[in-house]
DNA sequence: CTAAGTGCAAAGAATTTGCAAAACG
DNA sequence: CGTTTTGCAAATTCTTTGCACTTAG
C-alpha cells in the first residue's frame, strides 16, 4: 500500500522509484524531526540500496514540492518534517535540557505577527517561532533523578 | 580609545590582542548582521594581519561570553550581532525580495510567548522569532532595482 | 524508448583544528 | 617568562554534483 507522503508525491507527478517509496514511507512514519543522516539510517534499515546522496536529493525535491519543510534547530544539520495535513502553521518549543521538541500552534500568535509585519510596512509571507524552555518545576510529585522521558505534545490555544 | 565591545571583553577578562581589538571595533560599529566573511573583510580593511581563522575563533569566544549573538537567517552562514545594551530582546523581519533585515521589538509578543511556554509546562529560557515578508505595495513611490543597502531599523510597539 | 533518477566518489562551502611561531600580561 | 593567541594549511562536517548506469512511465 501507499504511504501518505508517497500519495502526495504521486499527486505532484513525481516518478516513484523504489528508493523514493522507502524514503516516503520513513517520512510518513516519522513524527519527529529527523535530519538527513537519520532518514538515511531509517531508510537503510528498510532497504540497503539507498545512498545518502539520494536522500539529500529527495528531501530537497520534496521540500521544493511543498511536501516537506526544512527546519533548523541549531546543531548544524537541517531537519525535516512533513508539511502538516492541516494547513495551520505550528511552531516548536525545544527543551534545553533534553533537546526534545514539542510542537504547538497558537492563533493569537498568528494574528500578532501578521499585525507586526503590517505595522512595519510588510505583507507577511511566512514566519518562524522557536521557544527554548526548561520543564517547569512540578509543585509536588516525588521521583528520583529525572532523566530523559517523553514530553506530551499538545496544542496551546486558549 | 576603547570600543564598546572591547570594553566588554576586558570586563570578561579576555586577553586583548591587536586582532581582537580590531574585530571588537568592527563589531562595535556594525549595526547590521554580518557573517564571518564580512567581518573578516571589514577587519582586514583596518588591519591586514588578521586571518579568517582568528575571526572564527573570536566570534565563537565572544558568543560564549555572551557578548555576541549568533543568528541564522538562512543562506548557510551564521551571522552575528552584539548582544543588545538594553536587555530587551528584539527580533527580525527579513525582506524576502531584497534580503534586508529590519529589527523590531514587541512587548505583546514577549508576553504571549511566555504564556505559551507556561501553558506547555515550561519556563521560557529564550526564544526567537523571524518574520519573512514582502514590502507592502506603496500607493506611489518610484524606484529602480534596489541592491543591498542599509535598512531602517525601528520599533514596532503600540 | 528516453527523460529522469541513482550510486559513487569527488567537489564544494562553512567552520574547526594541529602545530610552531608570536604576543599579552 | 608561561600562557594564550595567531596564521597557515590541513582536516571536518554537511551538502551538492559530474558522470556512467538504471529505471519508471
Amino acid at each position: 500500500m501507499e504511504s501518505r507522503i508517497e500519495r502526495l508525491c504521486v499527486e505532484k507527478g513525481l516518478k516513484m522509484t523504489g528508493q523514493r517509496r522507502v524514503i516516503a514511507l520513513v517520512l510518513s512514519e516519522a513524527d519527529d524531526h529527523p535530519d538527513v543522516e537519520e532518514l538515511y539510517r531509517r531508510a537503510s534499515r528498510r532497504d540497503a540500496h539507498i545512498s545518502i546522496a539520494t536522500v539529500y536529493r529527495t528531501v530537497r525535491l520534496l521540500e521544493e514540492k511543498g511536501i516537506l519543510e526544512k527546519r533548523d534547530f541549531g546543531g548544524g544539520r537541517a531537519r525535516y518534517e512533513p508539511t502538516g495535513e492541516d494547513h495551520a502553521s505550528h511552531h516548536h518549543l525545544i527543551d534545553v535540557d533534553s533537546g526534545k521538541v514539542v510542537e504547538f500552534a497558537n492563533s493569537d500568535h498568528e494574528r500578532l505577527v501578521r499585525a507586526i509585519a503590517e505595522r512595519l510596512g510588510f505583507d507577511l509571507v511566512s514566519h518562524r517561532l522557536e521557544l527554548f524552555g526548561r520543564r517547569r518545576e512540578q509543585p509536588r510529585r516525588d521521583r528520583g533523578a529525572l532523566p530523559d522521558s517523553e514530553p506530551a505534545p499538545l496544542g496551546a490555544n486558549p
Side-chain angles (χ1 to χ4, degrees), chain A:
Chain A
M1 43 81 285
E2 205 179 36
S3 68
R4 184 176 91 86
I5 302 286
E6 182 176 345
R7 193 171 326 117
L8 293 171
C9 290
V10 173
E11 279 170 23
K12 295 282 184 185
L14 298 181
K15 193 188 261 193
M16 289 313 293
T17 66
Q19 15 299 66
R20 280 193 189 162
R21 240 182 286 275
V22 172
I23 295 170
L25 174 58
V26 163
L27 285 168
S28 297
E29 289 176 338
D31 61 341
D32 51 351
H33 310 77
D35 59 27
V36 169
E37 203 79 43
E38 177 62 24
L39 287 173
Y40 174 57
R41 214 171 299 125
R42 295 181 193 177
S44 300
R45 221 171 285 144
R46 284 263 170 35
D47 178 346
H49 304 296
I50 291 179
S51 80
I52 194 160
T54 295
V55 180
Y56 271 107
R57 280 191 273 234
T58 303
V59 292
R60 185 145 54 97
L61 176 67
L62 298 204
E63 195 204 349
E64 281 163 11
K65 294 298 183 182
I67 296 172
L68 280 187
E69 281 174 16
K70 189 197 270 196
R71 304 285 179 183
D72 166 52
F73 295 149
R77 53 253 279 163
R79 299 170 65 170
Y80 292 87
E81 85 184 298
T83 298
E85 323 202 29
D86 44 41
H87 228 222
S89 85
H90 68 265
H91 302 286
H92 299 93
L93 186 156
I94 296 97
D95 182 325
V96 295
D97 295 320
S98 70
K100 295 234 181 86
V101 177
V102 180
E103 298 187 351
F104 65 89
N106 184 291
S107 54
D108 287 345
H109 185 263
E110 305 303 308
R111 256 192 299 285
L112 180 55
V113 292
R114 188 151 268 104
I116 291 173
E118 183 162 321
R119 213 169 318 179
L120 293 171
F122 286 79
D123 287 327
L124 193 62
V125 171
S126 71
H127 66 287
R128 67 188 189 206
L129 170 67
E130 271 137 41
L131 310 188
F132 298 85
R134 176 164 286 126
R135 192 114 240 164
R136 180 148 14 74
E137 218 45 74
Q138 295 291 308
R140 267 303 76 225
R141 191 150 263 292
D142 186 76
R143 45 158 139 55
L146 48 164
D148 239 66
S149 79
E150 206 51 19
L154 56 92
N157 253 349

